[in-house]
Amino acid sequence: MSSADTLKNQLILIFQKMFGHFGPLNWWPGDSPLEVMLGAILTQNTAWSNVEKALASLSQKTGLDPEKIRQLSDVELAACIRSSGYFNQKAKKLRVFLTYFHDRYGDSIEAMKEQPLERLRDELLSLHGIGPETADSILLYALDKLIFVVDAYTRRILARHGLMHHTADYHAMQDLFQQNIPPDISLYNEYHALIVNTGKDFCRTKPLCDSCPLRTLLPPGGPCMP
């Protein structure tokens, strides 16, 4: 078996182990593509529970209508999303995104979906406060584009299982998945969700290896640190 085949098998086995433990997670939490996009921005540097509170507050104030959100003052918008942390910065990011959403697509999710992935990604990355993880979360979870989302948990799990060095850049990690697992939106969606849950529950800064669903896949001698 070639090294490429071995890597593909490892990545599929990791998925199967996590799926066997957690089952389907039906990510991303959100009642609409717009809510998913807003959540992807708000979840930067905070727990999802804090984002849920922010979205609930914003929904109560505006019904998550993009025009009504844009009409809020900076103070009102920041107050709505206070629970998500860094609320003044995130208010600015939301306003920049929602202005782009209106000016470029007339607040139409369908118009966004019609655009090629590469063009949309470039547009999103050009916006203030949107980096690769946020852009790819919007593309995959809100717009059904075929792109794998990478986060800090992905980096940690890959490094500890000896699949990639912890200093690898975002796109190297993304390519690892996109070149070695089947190109399927549902699989990309579920795989990333499972990584997040595994990282949050087990693959912490101080890992809980003994109870982790991936414990039998660790390299000899335990996890490669960090």
Side-chain angles (χ1 to χ4, degrees):
M1 183 180 293
S2 70
S3 58
D5 288 337
T6 299
L7 179 56
K8 290 177 182 179
N9 289 341
Q10 283 179 296
L11 291 174
I12 292 300
L13 188 55
I14 285 172
F15 174 84
Q16 291 171 340
K17 292 284 188 180
M18 294 188 299
F19 190 85
H21 180 85
F22 291 107
L25 296 175
N26 301 312
W27 250 39
W28 181 297
D31 294 331
S32 70
L34 179 62
E35 185 173 348
V36 171
M37 292 193 286
L38 299 179
I41 295 170
L42 291 173
T43 199
Q44 296 172 3
N45 301 305
T46 194
W48 182 252
S49 57
N50 296 326
V51 176
E52 288 180 318
K53 295 173 186 175
L55 287 171
S57 176
L58 195 58
S59 179
Q60 186 176 25
K61 186 83 170 179
T62 67
L64 296 185
D65 179 285
E67 182 57 32
K68 289 181 180 178
I69 297 174
R70 285 190 293 267
Q71 290 174 355
L72 295 176
S73 69
D74 292 344
V75 172
E76 289 174 320
L77 180 53
C80 285
I81 63 170
R82 190 179 189 88
S83 65
S84 68
Y86 302 99
F87 46 88
N88 288 319
Q89 297 95 316
K90 289 182 180 179
K92 181 179 180 181
K93 294 175 185 180
L94 290 183
R95 195 173 297 283
V96 168
F97 172 76
L98 288 170
T99 298
Y100 151 80
F101 185 46
H102 176 267
D103 293 350
R104 181 73 176 85
Y105 294 106
D107 290 343
S108 170
I109 296 293
E110 292 308 315
M112 285 191 79
K113 286 184 176 183
E114 290 174 1
Q115 297 301 313
L117 183 154
E118 293 78 9
R119 179 183 299 175
L120 275 176
R121 194 171 194 269
D122 287 344
E123 289 177 359
L124 290 170
L125 290 174
S126 73
L127 301 178
H128 167 74
I130 293 187
E133 181 184 342
T134 302
D136 293 343
S137 294
I138 289 171
L139 291 166
L140 175 64
Y141 290 107
L143 301 174
D144 299 324
K145 298 296 184 180
L146 185 65
I147 193 161
F148 197 91
V149 179
V150 169
D151 62 5
Y153 292 130
T154 313
R155 179 185 302 279
R156 186 180 294 164
I157 289 171
L158 289 177
R160 286 177 171 171
H161 284 263
L163 297 176
M164 185 159 277
H165 196 270
H166 73 275
T167 60
D169 68 21
Y170 184 97
H171 292 102
M173 292 187 287
Q174 187 175 63
D175 286 345
L176 180 77
F177 288 94
Q178 294 185 166
Q179 293 172 6
N180 290 288
I181 65 173
D184 180 86
I185 290 173
S186 296
L187 176 60
Y188 284 12
N189 182 318
E190 195 69 66
Y191 207 136
H192 177 240
L194 290 165
I195 285 174
V196 171
N197 273 38
T198 301
K200 178 170 59 72
D201 292 353
F202 302 104
C203 204
R204 303 173 180 177
T205 304
K206 294 183 178 180
L208 304 176
C209 297
D210 289 345
S211 54
C212 178
L214 302 180
R215 62 188 177 278
T216 60
L217 305 181
L218 286 170
C224 302
M225 302 299 281

